[in-house]
Amino acid sequence: MHAPPRGLVYAVYYTVLAAIAVPVNLVAIVILSRGRCGLSGCITWYLVSMAVTDLLVIITAVLLNRIPGIYFPGSFLSITPVCSLSITLIYASRDTSVWLTVTFTFDRFVAICCQKLKTKYCTEKTAALVVGVVCTVGCLINIPWYFIHEPIYIINNVPWYCRLKEIRFTSPIWAAFQWSDRIGTPCLPFFLILLLNALTVRHILAANRARRRLRTSSNREHQSDPEMESRRKSIVLLFTISGSFILLWMMYVVQFFFERFINNYKVKGFSDPKFIFRESANMLQLLSCCTNTFIYAVTQRKFREQLTNMVQHPLTLILKLFS
């Protein structure tokens, strides 16, 4: 995902993506960290950390890789050590973002389906610990990416650009590393999110049937049920976030298995269908880093209120200055 493409479509897409993704993630971080959206402390921890890592993905993969490669080829960012570090940071931030989505899904699964474990696991302290572990592991396991690249040119003793070493295609160790990388992100998260959501849906359907029978027997079937309403809001947030992740990462997973099936990694240029397929998968995967804020705005009333206040406050101050 780190070879910058060339072409008007890519230039416009990544510019617009950066212009949207950076401010919306900053807005999400500010609003959620203030804790005024009616969400529990542990949910807030996960959502804020997801917004931070999404922002880091946009910074490393788009602002420091895609856009410079398209508009400023040959800049200092193309020096091999800098390029290798940039690629390593891309994978580290990407993996962390993906696995925080998994941990959020697991937290909601526990909160909805495991009432005995909920009081111990679904706490701010546990959420902070989980976020810290995921971020640390996400950085450590991607260190090998720094050493798998070599320069394409050496000009005046300065190495330029990055390409994968041939050992990547011949060494069983590097082959195992790449397989573990793709299985770890996003194949295993795909499976875990689908499994946890399926179990959550099954539990919810069973619980709702039992609750309706209980309320019917007590002649309260027409009264509002605050617990079911709260559960519904939590489920809508969970399913929209995980559903968005699955849809936008689907092509990336298909592209990975397609390349392994045909056993051909070479591309002949930017017009090669394999390159277009690969880059389309990367474009959708990066798009997933700016969708969560829109999901919060659609599904969370208090988030919309905080967003409206954030927009109105500076406008009010400006009007007062000119009035």
Side-chain angles (χ1 to χ4, degrees), residues 73-269:
S75 68
F76 79 97
L77 293 171
S78 300
I79 298 174
T80 303
V82 179
C83 175
S84 297
L85 178 61
S86 173
I87 293 167
T88 304
L89 293 176
I90 290 172
Y91 282 106
S93 56
R94 179 208 64 174
D95 288 2
T96 304
S97 174
V98 169
W99 279 98
L100 284 174
T101 303
V102 176
T103 56
F104 169 72
T105 305
F106 180 74
D107 177 87
R108 293 300 85 201
F109 165 76
V110 172
I112 295 170
C113 304
C114 309
Q115 294 301 312
K116 292 183 179 179
L117 182 59
K118 175 183 176 180
T119 55
K120 295 182 179 180
Y121 184 82
C122 300
T123 64
E124 288 189 56
K125 183 178 180 180
T126 301
L129 177 62
V130 170
V131 169
V133 170
V134 170
C135 292
T136 302
V137 173
C139 292
L140 292 177
I141 64 175
N142 284 288
I143 290 177
W145 283 111
Y146 183 83
F147 302 99
I148 201 172
H149 294 89
E150 62 183 3
I152 298 177
Y153 309 108
I154 297 179
I155 304 174
N156 296 327
N157 293 323
V158 178
W160 288 92
Y161 300 102
C162 291
R163 67 179 175 190
L164 292 166
K165 296 178 180 179
E166 288 298 324
I167 193 174
R168 178 211 180 193
F169 304 102
T170 58
S171 170
I173 295 176
W174 283 115
F177 170 74
Q178 188 180 24
W179 269 99
S180 64
D181 172 72
R182 291 302 177 92
I183 291 173
T185 304
C187 297
L188 183 58
F190 248 66
F191 171 76
L192 291 175
I193 289 175
L194 288 173
L195 175 63
L196 291 171
N197 282 343
L199 294 174
T200 302
V201 169
R202 187 180 69 172
H203 176 86
I204 290 169
L205 293 176
N208 284 350
R209 285 195 297 267
R211 194 165 182 84
R212 287 195 188 98
R213 286 196 299 268
L214 178 63
R215 292 175 64 82
T216 301
S217 63
S218 59
N219 295 322
R220 293 186 298 171
E221 64 271 20
H222 298 298
Q223 298 178 15
S224 62
D225 190 339
E227 182 176 336
M228 290 186 68
E229 182 63 20
S230 175
R231 184 183 297 169
R232 185 190 67 81
K233 292 179 180 179
S234 180
I235 291 166
V236 168
L237 178 62
L238 168 64
F239 287 176
T240 49
I241 290 177
S242 56
S244 171
F245 169 82
I246 290 171
L247 288 174
L248 294 176
W249 277 83
M250 181 69 73
M251 184 177 288
Y252 191 84
V253 176
V254 172
Q255 176 259 331
F256 168 71
F257 285 108
F258 174 75
E259 286 189 348
R260 272 46 184 189
F261 178 75
I262 64 174
N263 197 28
N264 185 357
Y265 308 97
K266 303 294 184 180
V267 294
K268 298 178 181 179

